[in-house]
Amino acid sequence: MKNRGEYESFVSDTGIMATQWIDNKPVLFLSNFHSPSQLSIVYRRNRMGIRKSITCPSLIADYNDNMNAVDKFDQLMSNYNLDRRSKKWWHRIFFYFLDACVVNAYIIYKQLGKTITLKVFKGQCAEGFISQTFIDNSALTKCTNNSLSVQIRKHKPNVSLEIRKRDSKHLPERSSRKRCALCSTKKKEVRTLWSCTVCKVPLCLGKNMCFNKYHT
């Protein structure tokens, strides 16, 4: 079958009819309700834009009359979708359900008599998740500068001499890998797995012996 409007149908022993109909491309249907002998007429435009009638099984006409809601949903889903490529397969499922929720909410919103496009509706949904409080840029810059200065001060922990040199309970213990509080610099970074149980600062135990130098 190559010509538009041609079709083939096969009926199983259990009454299931399988139909292939040629439109712009082959379309397949399954039905337990229709008969292959039931025909109908649909209208299509050719390459010249002329509208012509085409014979088709009644199954095709019933589908077009009763399944428009599903087609409309798929059409709305394809507009402004949130699908993004990702190596994590479940992201595609998450974005699909998120789009489905927005489209269903849009359909319900229009049933309430509201006249709005899907693009505007999605924009309003996005605005609903954004804070309405405006941030002063000068305050943001001041906050950022303060946070940076705090991070710089934390690079070299400040422990009082009374605790460092007079307390006799200093013992090394294993911790996460951190920069040594004594010998590590910006030009030469030195990391250690050891820290002091009292001072709570990372210190080297190997060749540099920072642990002893820090407490004497």
Side-chain angles (χ1 to χ4, degrees):
M1 295 187 303
K2 295 183 179 180
N3 298 325
R4 195 175 198 179
E6 294 183 354
Y7 72 95
E8 287 182 348
S9 296
F10 302 92
V11 181
S12 68
D13 296 336
T14 57
I16 303 298
M17 182 182 70
T19 302
Q20 181 187 40
W21 179 64
I22 303 299
D23 195 5
N24 291 329
K25 57 183 180 179
V27 185
L28 302 176
F29 291 90
L30 287 176
S31 175
N32 61 350
F33 177 75
H34 298 84
S35 170
S37 60
Q38 295 176 345
L39 299 179
S40 183
I41 300 295
V42 294
Y43 295 92
R44 296 290 187 270
R45 294 185 182 275
N46 58 17
R47 296 181 179 179
M48 304 300 296
I50 302 175
R51 190 167 181 260
K52 291 187 175 182
S53 61
I54 299 176
T55 302
C56 70
S58 60
L59 166 64
I60 311 298
D62 289 344
Y63 173 83
N64 291 332
D65 293 338
N66 299 294
M67 297 300 291
N68 287 334
V70 175
D71 293 338
K72 186 67 174 179
F73 178 82
D74 292 337
Q75 180 183 354
L76 293 173
M77 284 280 290
S78 63
N79 295 332
Y80 321 111
N81 59 355
L82 300 175
D83 192 12
R84 294 294 182 271
R85 291 185 178 181
S86 175
K87 293 182 179 180
K88 298 180 180 179
W89 60 268
W90 56 268
H91 282 183
R92 303 294 296 274
I93 300 176
F94 171 78
F95 287 132
Y96 176 84
F97 282 116
L98 186 60
D99 275 329
C101 290
V102 175
V103 170
N104 287 334
Y106 171 71
I107 294 173
I108 295 174
Y109 190 74
K110 289 198 67 176
Q111 289 177 349
L112 298 176
K114 309 295 183 179
T115 56
I116 189 175
T117 63
L118 178 61
K119 182 178 181 180
V120 175
F121 181 79
K122 281 196 171 185
Q124 293 180 357
C125 290
E127 291 176 358
F129 289 100
I130 300 175
S131 173
Q132 298 181 358
T133 303
F134 293 96
I135 301 176
D136 187 3
N137 290 333
S138 59
L140 180 61
T141 304
K142 183 178 179 181
C143 179
T144 304
N145 293 334
N146 290 338
S147 62
L148 290 176
S149 61
V150 170
Q151 292 178 0
I152 294 174
R153 288 198 299 267
K154 285 186 176 181
H155 172 59
K156 294 293 183 180
N158 185 16
V159 182
S160 63
L161 292 177
E162 182 178 0
I163 297 176
R164 288 170 53 186
K165 299 186 177 182
R166 296 182 184 179
D167 199 325
S168 60
K169 297 180 181 179
H170 299 278
L171 292 174
E173 64 177 355
R174 290 184 69 89
S175 63
S176 58
R177 190 174 180 83
K178 298 180 181 179
R179 301 175 67 175
C180 179
L182 189 63
C183 66
S184 182
T185 61
K186 291 183 179 180
K187 294 183 179 180
K188 184 179 180 181
E189 182 180 300
V190 179
R191 292 184 175 270
T192 178
L193 293 173
W194 298 94
S195 63
C196 178
T197 56
V198 177
C199 302
K200 302 300 181 183
V201 296
L203 295 165
C204 297
L205 280 181
K207 182 179 178 180
N208 296 333
M209 293 301 294
C210 294
F211 189 88
N212 294 341
K213 296 177 182 178
Y214 191 79
H215 298 105
T216 58

PDB file of all heavy atoms in Angstrom, residues 173-180 191-195 201-203:
ATOM      1  N   GLU A 173      44.648  12.789  66.847  1.00  0.00           N
ATOM      2  CA  GLU A 173      43.574  11.874  66.465  1.00  0.00           C
ATOM      3  C   GLU A 173      43.322  11.999  64.963  1.00  0.00           C
ATOM      4  O   GLU A 173      43.535  13.056  64.369  1.00  0.00           O
ATOM      5  CB  GLU A 173      42.292  12.180  67.232  1.00  0.00           C
ATOM      6  CG  GLU A 173      41.704  13.539  66.939  1.00  0.00           C
ATOM      7  CD  GLU A 173      40.392  13.772  67.660  1.00  0.00           C
ATOM      8  OE1 GLU A 173      39.905  12.832  68.307  1.00  0.00           O
ATOM      9  OE2 GLU A 173      39.855  14.893  67.565  1.00  0.00           O
ATOM     10  N   ARG A 174      42.897  10.895  64.365  1.00  0.00           N
ATOM     11  CA  ARG A 174      42.641  10.905  62.933  1.00  0.00           C
ATOM     12  C   ARG A 174      41.330  11.643  62.637  1.00  0.00           C
ATOM     13  O   ARG A 174      40.345  11.518  63.373  1.00  0.00           O
ATOM     14  CB  ARG A 174      42.561   9.482  62.381  1.00  0.00           C
ATOM     15  CG  ARG A 174      43.890   8.755  62.375  1.00  0.00           C
ATOM     16  CD  ARG A 174      43.754   7.390  61.729  1.00  0.00           C
ATOM     17  NE  ARG A 174      43.508   7.507  60.297  1.00  0.00           N
ATOM     18  CZ  ARG A 174      44.463   7.559  59.378  1.00  0.00           C
ATOM     19  NH1 ARG A 174      45.747   7.519  59.744  1.00  0.00           N
ATOM     20  NH2 ARG A 174      44.158   7.652  58.102  1.00  0.00           N
ATOM     21  N   SER A 175      41.351  12.391  61.560  1.00  0.00           N
ATOM     22  CA  SER A 175      40.162  13.135  61.146  1.00  0.00           C
ATOM     23  C   SER A 175      40.128  13.169  59.616  1.00  0.00           C
ATOM     24  O   SER A 175      40.881  12.450  58.949  1.00  0.00           O
ATOM     25  CB  SER A 175      40.193  14.558  61.725  1.00  0.00           C
ATOM     26  OG  SER A 175      41.295  15.281  61.209  1.00  0.00           O
ATOM     27  N   SER A 176      39.275  13.991  59.057  1.00  0.00           N
ATOM     28  CA  SER A 176      39.239  14.143  57.606  1.00  0.00           C
ATOM     29  C   SER A 176      40.464  14.916  57.123  1.00  0.00           C
ATOM     30  O   SER A 176      41.103  15.636  57.892  1.00  0.00           O
ATOM     31  CB  SER A 176      37.953  14.865  57.179  1.00  0.00           C
ATOM     32  OG  SER A 176      37.873  16.131  57.799  1.00  0.00           O
ATOM     33  N   ARG A 177      40.786  14.764  55.859  1.00  0.00           N
ATOM     34  CA  ARG A 177      41.977  15.393  55.304  1.00  0.00           C
ATOM     35  C   ARG A 177      41.765  16.902  55.182  1.00  0.00           C
ATOM     36  O   ARG A 177      40.933  17.372  54.416  1.00  0.00           O
ATOM     37  CB  ARG A 177      42.294  14.777  53.944  1.00  0.00           C
ATOM     38  CG  ARG A 177      43.639  15.185  53.366  1.00  0.00           C
ATOM     39  CD  ARG A 177      43.910  14.408  52.088  1.00  0.00           C
ATOM     40  NE  ARG A 177      45.175  14.773  51.499  1.00  0.00           N
ATOM     41  CZ  ARG A 177      46.348  14.265  51.874  1.00  0.00           C
ATOM     42  NH1 ARG A 177      46.380  13.363  52.831  1.00  0.00           N
ATOM     43  NH2 ARG A 177      47.472  14.643  51.290  1.00  0.00           N
ATOM     44  N   LYS A 178      42.577  17.670  55.963  1.00  0.00           N
ATOM     45  CA  LYS A 178      42.439  19.135  55.982  1.00  0.00           C
ATOM     46  C   LYS A 178      43.813  19.787  55.879  1.00  0.00           C
ATOM     47  O   LYS A 178      44.847  19.141  56.027  1.00  0.00           O
ATOM     48  CB  LYS A 178      41.743  19.587  57.274  1.00  0.00           C
ATOM     49  CG  LYS A 178      40.327  19.064  57.427  1.00  0.00           C
ATOM     50  CD  LYS A 178      39.717  19.553  58.734  1.00  0.00           C
ATOM     51  CE  LYS A 178      38.304  19.010  58.906  1.00  0.00           C
ATOM     52  NZ  LYS A 178      37.703  19.449  60.189  1.00  0.00           N
ATOM     53  N   ARG A 179      43.808  21.082  55.639  1.00  0.00           N
ATOM     54  CA  ARG A 179      45.055  21.842  55.536  1.00  0.00           C
ATOM     55  C   ARG A 179      45.649  22.057  56.926  1.00  0.00           C
ATOM     56  O   ARG A 179      44.948  22.408  57.876  1.00  0.00           O
ATOM     57  CB  ARG A 179      44.798  23.179  54.859  1.00  0.00           C
ATOM     58  CG  ARG A 179      44.224  23.043  53.474  1.00  0.00           C
ATOM     59  CD  ARG A 179      43.867  24.374  52.869  1.00  0.00           C
ATOM     60  NE  ARG A 179      45.049  25.189  52.613  1.00  0.00           N
ATOM     61  CZ  ARG A 179      45.028  26.365  51.989  1.00  0.00           C
ATOM     62  NH1 ARG A 179      43.870  26.851  51.577  1.00  0.00           N
ATOM     63  NH2 ARG A 179      46.131  27.035  51.787  1.00  0.00           N
ATOM     64  N   CYS A 180      46.963  21.871  57.020  1.00  0.00           N
ATOM     65  CA  CYS A 180      47.649  22.026  58.303  1.00  0.00           C
ATOM     66  C   CYS A 180      47.549  23.470  58.778  1.00  0.00           C
ATOM     67  O   CYS A 180      47.781  24.411  58.009  1.00  0.00           O
ATOM     68  CB  CYS A 180      49.109  21.608  58.169  1.00  0.00           C
ATOM     69  SG  CYS A 180      50.061  21.798  59.700  1.00  0.00           S
ATOM     70  N   ARG A 191      48.345  19.145  53.449  1.00  0.00           N
ATOM     71  CA  ARG A 191      47.165  18.559  54.086  1.00  0.00           C
ATOM     72  C   ARG A 191      47.572  17.396  54.990  1.00  0.00           C
ATOM     73  O   ARG A 191      48.574  16.721  54.734  1.00  0.00           O
ATOM     74  CB  ARG A 191      46.151  18.092  53.049  1.00  0.00           C
ATOM     75  CG  ARG A 191      45.505  19.246  52.286  1.00  0.00           C
ATOM     76  CD  ARG A 191      44.431  18.775  51.340  1.00  0.00           C
ATOM     77  NE  ARG A 191      43.742  19.890  50.710  1.00  0.00           N
ATOM     78  CZ  ARG A 191      42.661  20.481  51.195  1.00  0.00           C
ATOM     79  NH1 ARG A 191      42.119  20.023  52.318  1.00  0.00           N
ATOM     80  NH2 ARG A 191      42.102  21.507  50.572  1.00  0.00           N
ATOM     81  N   THR A 192      46.785  17.186  56.023  1.00  0.00           N
ATOM     82  CA  THR A 192      47.078  16.145  56.995  1.00  0.00           C
ATOM     83  C   THR A 192      45.804  15.439  57.427  1.00  0.00           C
ATOM     84  O   THR A 192      44.705  16.004  57.338  1.00  0.00           O
ATOM     85  CB  THR A 192      47.784  16.738  58.224  1.00  0.00           C
ATOM     86  OG1 THR A 192      48.017  15.708  59.188  1.00  0.00           O
ATOM     87  CG2 THR A 192      46.939  17.825  58.859  1.00  0.00           C
ATOM     88  N   LEU A 193      45.978  14.210  57.905  1.00  0.00           N
ATOM     89  CA  LEU A 193      44.847  13.425  58.402  1.00  0.00           C
ATOM     90  C   LEU A 193      44.734  13.483  59.920  1.00  0.00           C
ATOM     91  O   LEU A 193      43.897  12.798  60.497  1.00  0.00           O
ATOM     92  CB  LEU A 193      44.972  11.971  57.951  1.00  0.00           C
ATOM     93  CG  LEU A 193      44.840  11.713  56.444  1.00  0.00           C
ATOM     94  CD1 LEU A 193      45.169  10.255  56.128  1.00  0.00           C
ATOM     95  CD2 LEU A 193      43.437  12.050  55.970  1.00  0.00           C
ATOM     96  N   TRP A 194      45.593  14.288  60.540  1.00  0.00           N
ATOM     97  CA  TRP A 194      45.634  14.327  62.005  1.00  0.00           C
ATOM     98  C   TRP A 194      45.210  15.689  62.526  1.00  0.00           C
ATOM     99  O   TRP A 194      45.412  16.707  61.872  1.00  0.00           O
ATOM    100  CB  TRP A 194      47.052  13.992  62.512  1.00  0.00           C
ATOM    101  CG  TRP A 194      47.500  12.624  62.143  1.00  0.00           C
ATOM    102  CD1 TRP A 194      48.235  12.268  61.054  1.00  0.00           C
ATOM    103  CD2 TRP A 194      47.207  11.422  62.848  1.00  0.00           C
ATOM    104  NE1 TRP A 194      48.438  10.922  61.013  1.00  0.00           N
ATOM    105  CE2 TRP A 194      47.820  10.366  62.125  1.00  0.00           C
ATOM    106  CE3 TRP A 194      46.514  11.109  64.005  1.00  0.00           C
ATOM    107  CZ2 TRP A 194      47.744   9.041  62.526  1.00  0.00           C
ATOM    108  CZ3 TRP A 194      46.429   9.783  64.411  1.00  0.00           C
ATOM    109  CH2 TRP A 194      47.040   8.768  63.675  1.00  0.00           C
ATOM    110  N   SER A 195      44.612  15.669  63.711  1.00  0.00           N
ATOM    111  CA  SER A 195      44.216  16.907  64.379  1.00  0.00           C
ATOM    112  C   SER A 195      44.385  16.743  65.885  1.00  0.00           C
ATOM    113  O   SER A 195      44.555  15.626  66.387  1.00  0.00           O
ATOM    114  CB  SER A 195      42.759  17.254  64.054  1.00  0.00           C
ATOM    115  OG  SER A 195      41.892  16.246  64.553  1.00  0.00           O
ATOM    116  N   VAL A 201      42.344  21.518  65.737  1.00  0.00           N
ATOM    117  CA  VAL A 201      42.917  22.051  64.510  1.00  0.00           C
ATOM    118  C   VAL A 201      43.740  20.953  63.850  1.00  0.00           C
ATOM    119  O   VAL A 201      44.355  20.125  64.530  1.00  0.00           O
ATOM    120  CB  VAL A 201      43.797  23.295  64.782  1.00  0.00           C
ATOM    121  CG1 VAL A 201      42.951  24.426  65.323  1.00  0.00           C
ATOM    122  CG2 VAL A 201      44.918  22.967  65.747  1.00  0.00           C
ATOM    123  N   PRO A 202      43.797  20.899  62.510  1.00  0.00           N
ATOM    124  CA  PRO A 202      44.607  19.898  61.808  1.00  0.00           C
ATOM    125  C   PRO A 202      46.091  20.249  61.881  1.00  0.00           C
ATOM    126  O   PRO A 202      46.479  21.395  61.673  1.00  0.00           O
ATOM    127  CB  PRO A 202      44.080  19.981  60.364  1.00  0.00           C
ATOM    128  CG  PRO A 202      43.521  21.352  60.243  1.00  0.00           C
ATOM    129  CD  PRO A 202      42.997  21.726  61.590  1.00  0.00           C
ATOM    130  N   LEU A 203      46.926  19.247  62.201  1.00  0.00           N
ATOM    131  CA  LEU A 203      48.372  19.453  62.347  1.00  0.00           C
ATOM    132  C   LEU A 203      49.117  18.241  61.820  1.00  0.00           C
ATOM    133  O   LEU A 203      48.674  17.100  61.964  1.00  0.00           O
ATOM    134  CB  LEU A 203      48.728  19.679  63.826  1.00  0.00           C
ATOM    135  CG  LEU A 203      48.153  20.948  64.471  1.00  0.00           C
ATOM    136  CD1 LEU A 203      48.260  20.868  65.977  1.00  0.00           C
ATOM    137  CD2 LEU A 203      48.856  22.184  63.937  1.00  0.00           C
TER     138      LEU A 203
END
